[in-house]
Amino acid sequence: MAYSQPFPLAQPVQKVQQPTFGPDLAVRLICPECRDPNPNIVEEFSSGDLVCGTCGLVLGDRIVDTRSEWRTFANDEGDDPSRVGAASDPLMEGMEQLDTTISFRDGGSGIARELQRAASRSAASRSERNLLQAFRDISSWCEQFSLPKTICDIAKQLYKRSDEEKLLRGKPLDAVIAACIFIACRQAHVPRTFREICNLTHVSKKVLGQCYKALEQAFNLTPGASQDRHHTAPSGTTGAEDLLVRYCNHLDLPPNVQPICADIIGKARDLGIADGRSPVSIAGGAIYFTCCLLDKPKTVKEISTVAGVSESTIKLVYRLYYAEKEKLVKEEWIKDGKAKIERLPVESGSK
């Protein structure tokens, strides 16, 4: 089964197909004495011979024993450790995946340092070393950001494809990696904002945006993972609903706050309230509005720290929501006793 190439180009380059040569699998080994179309060939690893099991004729010698290098006496469950080394990485296909480590202990002669330098030059080419270094940086940053391994693998695939096609030649390595992580988060429906990626990687927003646009156009990527779940979210941006789960978890809010807050954001979008505001600002203002409505006290400063926006921005979005509070709050919430409009402060700074 042939697997499709990850992240194909939007306009693939036509390449000339070179003829491939391989062994003729139609050739069968039979005994010249028996001439049986279904031969009984036996491999005797003790003597290294290939013998016909019917007449005993030796058909070959010095065969290679492909079994494990040692005997296993364990009777418990588990795989036989017949081979050593880690599992092969499909992202490093065509590259040497076994490492050789040279000890530093050479008695002070300096030979170990020279051997390490020679091994590093002969082990891999410069492009392979750069690729391995980029993979290590992606893994390190994903761990710092508490991102799952799925996003790490997608970012590595995207970086390898961009490196093969030479799409971002001349761009800083940190900026290319940051753009790959940003796109991987959207592809895996775990969106992160530009500001969060910039704070993690210390890359300027301008350079990150340039790398992101180049990759998006080259691979014809869907702008924004939120399109698959929230069709009303603007294309190319992360929806405010995608940020609610993470922000509510960081604020330690009850489970019933997040769905009500998402309904308020959706209703406000339909009415055109707070249009033009960033998703982070909308999410912060909606959380403060919902917390006041449900009597789940959270200060503006706490929400500002989690969302990464200023307190004045959250208060501004809250004022816009407060002006249309009758349209945003459903009557069933009031009848069930969940919400009370009287709990909303007249001014956002009064609480």
Side-chain angles (χ1 to χ4, degrees), residues 186-235:
R186 291 195 168 187
Q187 294 289 323
H189 301 292
V190 187
R192 293 295 186 270
T193 61
F194 260 38
R195 182 177 300 175
E196 290 174 316
I197 299 295
C198 292
N199 293 337
L200 171 69
T201 59
H202 304 289
V203 176
S204 65
K205 190 175 181 180
K206 179 180 179 181
V207 179
L208 176 59
Q210 292 174 351
C211 296
Y212 166 70
K213 287 297 182 183
L215 293 176
E216 186 183 41
Q217 294 176 0
F219 297 122
N220 195 20
L221 300 175
T222 302
S226 60
Q227 285 187 341
D228 296 337
R229 293 178 296 172
H230 308 295
H231 62 278
T232 56
S235 68

Short mmCIF file of all heavy atoms in Angstrom, two decimals, residues 186-235:
data_model
loop_
_atom_site.label_atom_id
_atom_site.label_comp_id
_atom_site.label_asym_id
_atom_site.label_seq_id
_atom_site.Cartn_x
_atom_site.Cartn_y
_atom_site.Cartn_z
N ARG A 186 -3.05 24.26 14.55
CA ARG A 186 -4.33 24.45 13.87
C ARG A 186 -4.80 23.19 13.18
O ARG A 186 -6.00 22.88 13.18
CB ARG A 186 -4.21 25.58 12.86
CG ARG A 186 -4.04 26.95 13.50
CD ARG A 186 -4.30 28.05 12.50
NE ARG A 186 -4.42 29.35 13.16
CZ ARG A 186 -4.77 30.46 12.55
NH1 ARG A 186 -5.05 30.42 11.25
NH2 ARG A 186 -4.87 31.60 13.20
N GLN A 187 -3.87 22.44 12.60
CA GLN A 187 -4.26 21.21 11.92
C GLN A 187 -4.80 20.18 12.91
O GLN A 187 -5.67 19.39 12.58
CB GLN A 187 -3.05 20.62 11.18
CG GLN A 187 -2.56 21.47 10.01
CD GLN A 187 -3.51 21.47 8.84
OE1 GLN A 187 -4.12 20.46 8.54
NE2 GLN A 187 -3.66 22.60 8.17
N ALA A 188 -4.26 20.18 14.14
CA ALA A 188 -4.70 19.22 15.16
C ALA A 188 -5.82 19.75 16.03
O ALA A 188 -6.15 19.14 17.03
CB ALA A 188 -3.50 18.84 16.04
N HIS A 189 -6.40 20.90 15.66
CA HIS A 189 -7.52 21.50 16.40
C HIS A 189 -7.12 21.84 17.84
O HIS A 189 -7.92 21.70 18.76
CB HIS A 189 -8.74 20.59 16.40
CG HIS A 189 -9.25 20.26 15.03
ND1 HIS A 189 -9.82 21.20 14.20
CD2 HIS A 189 -9.24 19.11 14.33
CE1 HIS A 189 -10.16 20.63 13.06
NE2 HIS A 189 -9.81 19.37 13.11
N VAL A 190 -5.87 22.23 18.04
CA VAL A 190 -5.41 22.72 19.34
C VAL A 190 -4.79 24.09 19.08
O VAL A 190 -3.57 24.26 19.15
CB VAL A 190 -4.38 21.76 19.99
CG1 VAL A 190 -4.06 22.21 21.41
CG2 VAL A 190 -4.92 20.34 20.00
N PRO A 191 -5.59 25.09 18.74
CA PRO A 191 -5.03 26.36 18.26
C PRO A 191 -4.31 27.13 19.35
O PRO A 191 -4.69 27.11 20.51
CB PRO A 191 -6.27 27.12 17.76
CG PRO A 191 -7.39 26.56 18.55
CD PRO A 191 -7.07 25.12 18.78
N ARG A 192 -3.27 27.79 18.94
CA ARG A 192 -2.53 28.73 19.78
C ARG A 192 -2.42 30.06 19.04
O ARG A 192 -2.35 30.09 17.81
CB ARG A 192 -1.12 28.21 20.11
CG ARG A 192 -1.10 26.96 20.99
CD ARG A 192 -1.64 27.26 22.36
NE ARG A 192 -1.49 26.12 23.26
CZ ARG A 192 -2.36 25.16 23.44
NH1 ARG A 192 -3.48 25.18 22.71
NH2 ARG A 192 -2.16 24.18 24.29
N THR A 193 -2.42 31.14 19.78
CA THR A 193 -2.37 32.46 19.17
C THR A 193 -0.95 32.80 18.74
O THR A 193 0.03 32.17 19.20
CB THR A 193 -2.89 33.51 20.14
OG1 THR A 193 -2.06 33.53 21.31
CG2 THR A 193 -4.33 33.20 20.56
N PHE A 194 -0.84 33.80 17.87
CA PHE A 194 0.48 34.27 17.44
C PHE A 194 1.29 34.74 18.64
O PHE A 194 2.50 34.50 18.72
CB PHE A 194 0.31 35.42 16.43
CG PHE A 194 0.48 34.98 15.01
CD1 PHE A 194 0.00 33.76 14.60
CD2 PHE A 194 1.12 35.79 14.08
CE1 PHE A 194 0.14 33.34 13.28
CE2 PHE A 194 1.27 35.38 12.77
CZ PHE A 194 0.79 34.16 12.37
N ARG A 195 0.62 35.41 19.57
CA ARG A 195 1.34 35.96 20.73
C ARG A 195 1.92 34.83 21.58
O ARG A 195 3.06 34.94 22.07
CB ARG A 195 0.39 36.82 21.56
CG ARG A 195 1.05 37.48 22.77
CD ARG A 195 0.06 38.37 23.49
NE ARG A 195 -0.44 39.41 22.60
CZ ARG A 195 -1.40 40.27 22.95
NH1 ARG A 195 -1.96 40.18 24.15
NH2 ARG A 195 -1.80 41.19 22.10
N GLU A 196 1.18 33.75 21.76
CA GLU A 196 1.68 32.63 22.56
C GLU A 196 2.88 31.97 21.88
O GLU A 196 3.87 31.63 22.55
CB GLU A 196 0.56 31.61 22.78
CG GLU A 196 -0.53 32.10 23.70
CD GLU A 196 -1.69 31.13 23.80
OE1 GLU A 196 -2.12 30.60 22.75
OE2 GLU A 196 -2.18 30.89 24.91
N ILE A 197 2.81 31.79 20.57
CA ILE A 197 3.94 31.20 19.85
C ILE A 197 5.15 32.11 19.90
O ILE A 197 6.29 31.66 20.07
CB ILE A 197 3.54 30.88 18.40
CG1 ILE A 197 2.39 29.86 18.37
CG2 ILE A 197 4.73 30.34 17.62
CD1 ILE A 197 2.74 28.50 18.91
N CYS A 198 4.93 33.40 19.76
CA CYS A 198 6.05 34.36 19.80
C CYS A 198 6.70 34.39 21.18
O CYS A 198 7.93 34.47 21.29
CB CYS A 198 5.56 35.75 19.41
SG CYS A 198 5.06 35.92 17.69
N ASN A 199 5.89 34.33 22.23
CA ASN A 199 6.46 34.31 23.58
C ASN A 199 7.25 33.04 23.84
O ASN A 199 8.24 33.06 24.58
CB ASN A 199 5.34 34.45 24.62
CG ASN A 199 4.68 35.82 24.58
OD1 ASN A 199 5.27 36.80 24.10
ND2 ASN A 199 3.45 35.90 25.04
N LEU A 200 6.83 31.94 23.25
CA LEU A 200 7.53 30.68 23.46
C LEU A 200 8.85 30.64 22.70
O LEU A 200 9.88 30.24 23.26
CB LEU A 200 6.64 29.52 23.01
CG LEU A 200 7.30 28.14 22.95
CD1 LEU A 200 7.63 27.63 24.35
CD2 LEU A 200 6.42 27.14 22.23
N THR A 201 8.84 31.06 21.44
CA THR A 201 10.01 30.91 20.59
C THR A 201 10.86 32.17 20.49
O THR A 201 11.93 32.13 19.88
CB THR A 201 9.56 30.52 19.17
OG1 THR A 201 8.68 31.52 18.65
CG2 THR A 201 8.81 29.18 19.22
N HIS A 202 10.36 33.29 21.04
CA HIS A 202 11.08 34.58 20.98
C HIS A 202 11.32 35.02 19.54
O HIS A 202 12.39 35.54 19.18
CB HIS A 202 12.41 34.50 21.74
CG HIS A 202 12.27 34.07 23.17
ND1 HIS A 202 11.71 34.89 24.14
CD2 HIS A 202 12.57 32.91 23.80
CE1 HIS A 202 11.71 34.25 25.30
NE2 HIS A 202 12.21 33.05 25.12
N VAL A 203 10.33 34.77 18.69
CA VAL A 203 10.38 35.19 17.29
C VAL A 203 9.42 36.36 17.12
O VAL A 203 8.33 36.38 17.71
CB VAL A 203 9.99 34.03 16.35
CG1 VAL A 203 9.95 34.48 14.90
CG2 VAL A 203 10.97 32.87 16.51
N SER A 204 9.81 37.34 16.33
CA SER A 204 8.95 38.50 16.12
C SER A 204 7.69 38.10 15.35
O SER A 204 7.70 37.16 14.54
CB SER A 204 9.70 39.59 15.34
OG SER A 204 10.01 39.14 14.03
N LYS A 205 6.62 38.81 15.62
CA LYS A 205 5.35 38.50 14.99
C LYS A 205 5.40 38.71 13.48
O LYS A 205 4.76 37.97 12.71
CB LYS A 205 4.26 39.38 15.61
CG LYS A 205 2.84 38.99 15.22
CD LYS A 205 1.82 39.82 15.97
CE LYS A 205 0.40 39.43 15.60
NZ LYS A 205 -0.60 40.25 16.34
N LYS A 206 6.19 39.67 13.03
CA LYS A 206 6.29 39.96 11.59
C LYS A 206 6.94 38.80 10.84
O LYS A 206 6.43 38.33 9.81
CB LYS A 206 7.08 41.24 11.38
CG LYS A 206 7.26 41.62 9.92
CD LYS A 206 8.06 42.90 9.78
CE LYS A 206 8.27 43.26 8.32
NZ LYS A 206 9.07 44.50 8.18
N VAL A 207 8.07 38.30 11.37
CA VAL A 207 8.78 37.20 10.70
C VAL A 207 7.95 35.92 10.77
O VAL A 207 7.89 35.15 9.79
CB VAL A 207 10.17 37.00 11.35
CG1 VAL A 207 10.90 35.85 10.68
CG2 VAL A 207 10.99 38.28 11.26
N LEU A 208 7.29 35.68 11.89
CA LEU A 208 6.44 34.50 12.02
C LEU A 208 5.29 34.55 11.00
O LEU A 208 4.95 33.53 10.38
CB LEU A 208 5.89 34.41 13.44
CG LEU A 208 4.89 33.27 13.72
CD1 LEU A 208 5.52 31.92 13.44
CD2 LEU A 208 4.41 33.34 15.16
N GLY A 209 4.70 35.72 10.81
CA GLY A 209 3.63 35.87 9.84
C GLY A 209 4.10 35.62 8.42
O GLY A 209 3.39 35.02 7.61
N GLN A 210 5.31 36.08 8.10
CA GLN A 210 5.85 35.85 6.75
C GLN A 210 6.07 34.36 6.48
O GLN A 210 5.71 33.85 5.40
CB GLN A 210 7.17 36.61 6.59
CG GLN A 210 7.01 38.13 6.59
CD GLN A 210 8.34 38.85 6.58
OE1 GLN A 210 9.41 38.23 6.73
NE2 GLN A 210 8.31 40.16 6.41
N CYS A 211 6.64 33.65 7.43
CA CYS A 211 6.86 32.22 7.26
C CYS A 211 5.53 31.46 7.18
O CYS A 211 5.38 30.52 6.38
CB CYS A 211 7.71 31.67 8.41
SG CYS A 211 9.38 32.35 8.49
N TYR A 212 4.57 31.88 8.00
CA TYR A 212 3.27 31.21 7.99
C TYR A 212 2.57 31.39 6.64
O TYR A 212 2.02 30.42 6.08
CB TYR A 212 2.41 31.76 9.12
CG TYR A 212 0.94 31.39 9.00
CD1 TYR A 212 0.52 30.09 9.21
CD2 TYR A 212 -0.01 32.35 8.67
CE1 TYR A 212 -0.81 29.74 9.10
CE2 TYR A 212 -1.35 32.01 8.56
CZ TYR A 212 -1.75 30.71 8.77
OH TYR A 212 -3.06 30.37 8.65
N LYS A 213 2.59 32.60 6.10
CA LYS A 213 1.94 32.85 4.81
C LYS A 213 2.61 32.06 3.69
O LYS A 213 1.94 31.54 2.78
CB LYS A 213 1.97 34.35 4.50
CG LYS A 213 1.00 35.17 5.33
CD LYS A 213 -0.44 34.78 5.06
CE LYS A 213 -1.41 35.64 5.86
NZ LYS A 213 -2.82 35.21 5.65
N ALA A 214 3.94 31.97 3.74
CA ALA A 214 4.66 31.24 2.69
C ALA A 214 4.30 29.75 2.72
O ALA A 214 4.07 29.13 1.68
CB ALA A 214 6.16 31.43 2.86
N LEU A 215 4.24 29.16 3.91
CA LEU A 215 3.89 27.74 4.03
C LEU A 215 2.43 27.51 3.65
O LEU A 215 2.09 26.50 3.02
CB LEU A 215 4.16 27.25 5.45
CG LEU A 215 5.62 27.18 5.88
CD1 LEU A 215 5.73 26.78 7.35
CD2 LEU A 215 6.41 26.22 5.01
N GLU A 216 1.56 28.44 4.03
CA GLU A 216 0.13 28.29 3.74
C GLU A 216 -0.13 28.31 2.24
O GLU A 216 -0.93 27.53 1.72
CB GLU A 216 -0.65 29.40 4.44
CG GLU A 216 -2.16 29.27 4.31
CD GLU A 216 -2.88 30.43 4.97
OE1 GLU A 216 -2.42 31.57 4.82
OE2 GLU A 216 -3.89 30.19 5.62
N GLN A 217 0.56 29.18 1.52
CA GLN A 217 0.37 29.26 0.08
C GLN A 217 1.02 28.09 -0.64
O GLN A 217 0.49 27.59 -1.64
CB GLN A 217 0.93 30.59 -0.44
CG GLN A 217 0.18 31.82 0.07
CD GLN A 217 0.83 33.11 -0.37
OE1 GLN A 217 1.85 33.10 -1.07
NE2 GLN A 217 0.28 34.23 0.06
N ALA A 218 2.17 27.64 -0.15
CA ALA A 218 2.89 26.56 -0.84
C ALA A 218 2.17 25.23 -0.73
O ALA A 218 2.10 24.46 -1.70
CB ALA A 218 4.31 26.44 -0.27
N PHE A 219 1.59 24.94 0.43
CA PHE A 219 0.96 23.65 0.66
C PHE A 219 -0.56 23.73 0.62
O PHE A 219 -1.23 22.73 0.92
CB PHE A 219 1.40 23.08 2.01
CG PHE A 219 2.87 22.79 2.09
CD1 PHE A 219 3.66 23.39 3.05
CD2 PHE A 219 3.47 21.93 1.18
CE1 PHE A 219 5.01 23.14 3.12
CE2 PHE A 219 4.83 21.67 1.24
CZ PHE A 219 5.60 22.27 2.21
N ASN A 220 -1.10 24.89 0.28
CA ASN A 220 -2.55 25.06 0.16
C ASN A 220 -3.27 24.59 1.42
O ASN A 220 -4.21 23.79 1.39
CB ASN A 220 -3.08 24.30 -1.05
CG ASN A 220 -4.49 24.73 -1.43
OD1 ASN A 220 -4.94 25.82 -1.05
ND2 ASN A 220 -5.19 23.90 -2.17
N LEU A 221 -2.79 25.07 2.57
CA LEU A 221 -3.34 24.65 3.86
C LEU A 221 -4.65 25.36 4.13
O LEU A 221 -4.87 26.49 3.69
CB LEU A 221 -2.34 24.97 4.98
CG LEU A 221 -0.98 24.29 4.86
CD1 LEU A 221 -0.06 24.79 5.96
CD2 LEU A 221 -1.13 22.78 4.94
N THR A 222 -5.53 24.68 4.86
CA THR A 222 -6.80 25.29 5.25
C THR A 222 -6.53 26.35 6.29
O THR A 222 -5.95 26.06 7.34
CB THR A 222 -7.75 24.23 5.84
OG1 THR A 222 -7.95 23.22 4.86
CG2 THR A 222 -9.07 24.85 6.23
N PRO A 223 -6.90 27.60 6.06
CA PRO A 223 -6.58 28.67 7.02
C PRO A 223 -7.44 28.57 8.27
O PRO A 223 -8.59 28.94 8.27
CB PRO A 223 -6.89 29.95 6.24
CG PRO A 223 -7.90 29.54 5.22
CD PRO A 223 -7.62 28.10 4.89
N GLY A 224 -6.88 28.03 9.32
CA GLY A 224 -7.59 27.98 10.60
C GLY A 224 -8.26 26.65 10.82
O GLY A 224 -9.03 26.17 10.00
N ALA A 225 -7.93 26.01 11.94
CA ALA A 225 -8.55 24.72 12.26
C ALA A 225 -9.98 24.88 12.72
O ALA A 225 -10.72 23.92 12.78
CB ALA A 225 -7.74 24.02 13.36
N SER A 226 -10.40 26.09 13.04
CA SER A 226 -11.74 26.28 13.58
C SER A 226 -12.82 26.16 12.51
O SER A 226 -14.00 26.09 12.83
CB SER A 226 -11.85 27.67 14.22
OG SER A 226 -11.59 28.68 13.28
N GLN A 227 -12.45 26.11 11.22
CA GLN A 227 -13.46 26.03 10.17
C GLN A 227 -14.20 24.70 10.18
O GLN A 227 -15.35 24.63 9.81
CB GLN A 227 -12.79 26.21 8.79
CG GLN A 227 -12.40 27.65 8.51
CD GLN A 227 -11.92 27.81 7.10
OE1 GLN A 227 -11.56 26.85 6.44
NE2 GLN A 227 -11.91 29.02 6.62
N ASP A 228 -13.51 23.64 10.64
CA ASP A 228 -14.15 22.34 10.62
C ASP A 228 -15.25 22.23 11.68
O ASP A 228 -16.14 21.43 11.56
CB ASP A 228 -13.10 21.24 10.87
CG ASP A 228 -12.08 21.21 9.74
OD1 ASP A 228 -12.42 21.67 8.63
OD2 ASP A 228 -10.97 20.75 9.99
N ARG A 229 -15.16 23.02 12.75
CA ARG A 229 -16.11 22.88 13.83
C ARG A 229 -17.01 24.10 13.98
O ARG A 229 -18.15 23.99 14.37
CB ARG A 229 -15.35 22.66 15.16
CG ARG A 229 -14.61 21.35 15.21
CD ARG A 229 -13.85 21.22 16.52
NE ARG A 229 -12.83 22.24 16.62
CZ ARG A 229 -12.13 22.44 17.73
NH1 ARG A 229 -12.36 21.73 18.81
NH2 ARG A 229 -11.21 23.38 17.77
N HIS A 230 -16.53 25.28 13.70
CA HIS A 230 -17.32 26.49 13.87
C HIS A 230 -17.34 27.21 12.52
O HIS A 230 -16.42 27.93 12.16
CB HIS A 230 -16.69 27.40 14.94
CG HIS A 230 -16.44 26.67 16.24
ND1 HIS A 230 -17.43 26.17 17.02
CD2 HIS A 230 -15.28 26.35 16.86
CE1 HIS A 230 -16.91 25.58 18.10
NE2 HIS A 230 -15.61 25.67 18.01
N HIS A 231 -18.37 26.98 11.78
CA HIS A 231 -18.42 27.53 10.42
C HIS A 231 -18.59 29.03 10.41
O HIS A 231 -18.39 29.68 9.40
CB HIS A 231 -19.57 26.88 9.65
CG HIS A 231 -20.92 27.16 10.26
ND1 HIS A 231 -21.40 26.43 11.32
CD2 HIS A 231 -21.86 28.09 9.97
CE1 HIS A 231 -22.61 26.89 11.66
NE2 HIS A 231 -22.90 27.89 10.85
N THR A 232 -18.97 29.61 11.57
CA THR A 232 -19.17 31.05 11.60
C THR A 232 -17.89 31.80 11.92
O THR A 232 -17.87 33.02 11.90
CB THR A 232 -20.22 31.40 12.66
OG1 THR A 232 -19.81 30.86 13.92
CG2 THR A 232 -21.58 30.84 12.27
N ALA A 233 -16.83 31.11 12.27
CA ALA A 233 -15.58 31.80 12.59
C ALA A 233 -14.97 32.36 11.34
O ALA A 233 -15.00 31.75 10.28
CB ALA A 233 -14.60 30.82 13.26
N PRO A 234 -14.35 33.54 11.40
CA PRO A 234 -13.73 34.11 10.22
C PRO A 234 -12.57 33.24 9.76
O PRO A 234 -11.85 32.66 10.56
CB PRO A 234 -13.25 35.49 10.71
CG PRO A 234 -13.99 35.74 11.98
CD PRO A 234 -14.30 34.42 12.57
N SER A 235 -12.42 33.15 8.44
CA SER A 235 -11.34 32.32 7.91
C SER A 235 -10.00 32.97 8.18
O SER A 235 -9.84 34.18 8.14
CB SER A 235 -11.52 32.14 6.39
OG SER A 235 -11.32 33.38 5.74
#
